[in-house]
Amino acid sequence: MIPFRETYRDIPLYSPAKKPCRVDLSDNTNLFGAPPSADRVLREEGFLRLARYPAGYAPDLKRAVAAYAGVAVENVTTGCGSDDVIDCALRAFLEPGDAVAFPDPTFVMVPMFARLSALKPVPVPLRSDHGLDVDGLLATGAKLIYVCTPNNPTGTVASRAALERLVDSASGVVLVDQAYVEFTRGGDFLDLARTRPNVLVTRTMSKAFGLAGLRVGWGVGAPSLVAEVEKARGPYKHTALGEAVAVAALTDDVAWMEACAAEAVVNRERLRGALKALGLEPLPSEGNFLLVPVPEARQVGEALRERNVNVRVFEGLTGVGDALRIGCGPWPMMASALKALKEVL
Ligand code: PMP
């Protein structure tokens, strides 16, 4: 018998239901598509970049992120999606057996990444208003506390007072996942990464920027924090193409991204109204998605997929129960989801 790793025995592969559907609203990506600069970069320089390695530690991307975020290059780390930045941060700051605390429910990959690095996931339920339980998170004594704002899957934004108290009282690192920040009103906490020694803010090119297929994410924090994450990361986490396209998008397509995000937000609110008219109670959201509590969500999700609409199903979410998470984008897609839901419910 091969002596496989003991701590990996019960770890499943991540596999949300994914039947190909005409309307896929299951992963909160930019449903308007990819940024226009991506087409230009791939056509004009894509082929030329294939035979050589990209430069180690993505210096061009770091410069573009630094300019976009208004920080120095030393404040920036990047990774193969923000998934990778989170994973690297857990490895960088914690020893096997250490605790990672996070609100529950939150991004499902966090407990999974914790287990992959032999860390102890410590969920702390959100308060009944879906706000952070700051005292509960602090009481875990974890050396790394993860907070997602806007939170996936609830869509709620952490209050500044709560997050600042958490950051200022935590004994270790606070990782603030802002994958959906472009859809918020005033929910940007990049300033905490600039002013606090213990805050790493992660962001992604996968959601508002429309580049999920290229797997590019980034993090901002104090240079001493970033230096540790870079050690865990290693030199080559992007393809040369991914780095070049992300640089172009951050430089040339910010207005395009903002227009897509604004329309997703308008359609999110329109969809929320329509769902309420159906007697449903979607949670207020500042992401590009709505969490809709629905009994027997698995069966509902299956019936929607039979109608060519894919949404993300959650069963038994802490404080919520069964629910569907519906990604928001162009109105015709929302209309298809609504029509299918009306038939199913
Ligand atoms: N954080 C949150 C909250 C997410 O929902 C996701 C994607 N589902 C990620 C991080 C990771 O995204 P990516 O690796 O594509 O940057």
Side-chain angles (χ1 to χ4, degrees), residues 47-295:
F47 185 74
L48 301 175
R49 289 181 179 264
L50 294 185
R52 304 301 304 265
Y53 281 105
Y57 300 97
D60 292 347
L61 179 57
K62 276 192 194 168
R63 268 192 296 278
V65 168
Y68 175 72
V71 296
V73 170
E74 295 70 38
N75 294 107
V76 179
T77 183
T78 69
C80 179
S82 56
D83 266 358
D84 183 40
V85 184
I86 296 167
D87 185 33
C88 290
L90 297 188
R91 271 206 310 286
F93 298 122
L94 301 171
E95 302 287 359
D98 280 349
V100 182
F102 49 87
D104 179 30
T106 197
F107 182 35
V108 290
M109 291 305 288
V110 171
M112 181 117 167
F113 287 140
R115 295 175 71 197
L116 292 179
S117 287
L119 305 168
K120 200 167 132 242
V122 182
V124 175
L126 285 171
R127 296 185 327 208
S128 56
D129 63 356
H130 307 295
L132 292 179
D133 177 359
V134 173
D135 293 319
L137 288 165
L138 290 171
T140 65
K143 284 197 292 183
L144 191 143
I145 299 174
Y146 168 93
V147 172
C148 182
T149 177
N151 187 39
N152 174 10
T154 55
T156 27
V157 172
S159 85
R160 177 164 284 270
L163 196 55
E164 286 187 351
R165 188 160 77 81
L166 181 71
V167 164
D168 292 337
S169 311
S171 53
V173 174
V174 179
L175 193 161
V176 183
D177 180 341
Q178 296 235 267
Y180 301 99
V181 71
E182 295 87 352
F183 306 100
T184 66
R185 281 175 278 110
D188 186 342
F189 292 110
L190 211 48
D191 61 296
L192 295 182
R194 288 195 211 101
T195 55
R196 304 298 206 278
N198 63 334
V199 174
L200 184 74
V201 168
T202 57
R203 301 268 295 259
T204 182
M205 302 302 291
S206 300
K207 308 297 181 183
F209 272 101
L211 293 172
L214 284 182
R215 315 301 303 122
V216 179
W218 45 276
V220 169
S224 56
L225 283 190
V226 160
E228 295 306 301
V229 180
E230 293 266 289
K231 287 183 200 169
R233 170 200 194 274
Y236 299 120
K237 282 298 185 85
H238 304 292
T239 62
L241 298 186
E243 189 179 355
V245 172
V247 167
L250 285 165
T251 313
D252 298 336
D253 281 332
V254 174
W256 172 87
M257 176 279 286
E258 287 171 347
C260 294
E263 195 170 337
V265 165
V266 167
N267 290 345
R268 177 193 73 206
E269 289 312 303
R270 188 173 164 196
L271 178 65
R272 203 160 102 85
L275 292 168
K276 280 181 161 176
L278 291 181
L280 298 166
E281 292 181 27
L283 272 57
S285 168
E286 292 206 32
N288 61 339
F289 54 86
L290 287 172
L291 189 70
V292 192
V294 169

Side-chain angles (χ1 to χ4, degrees), residues 17-30:
K18 203 72 175 164
K19 171 176 170 272
C21 283
R22 193 170 45 76
V23 178
D24 189 346
L25 311 177
S26 68
D27 54 14
N28 307 338
T29 46
N30 186 335

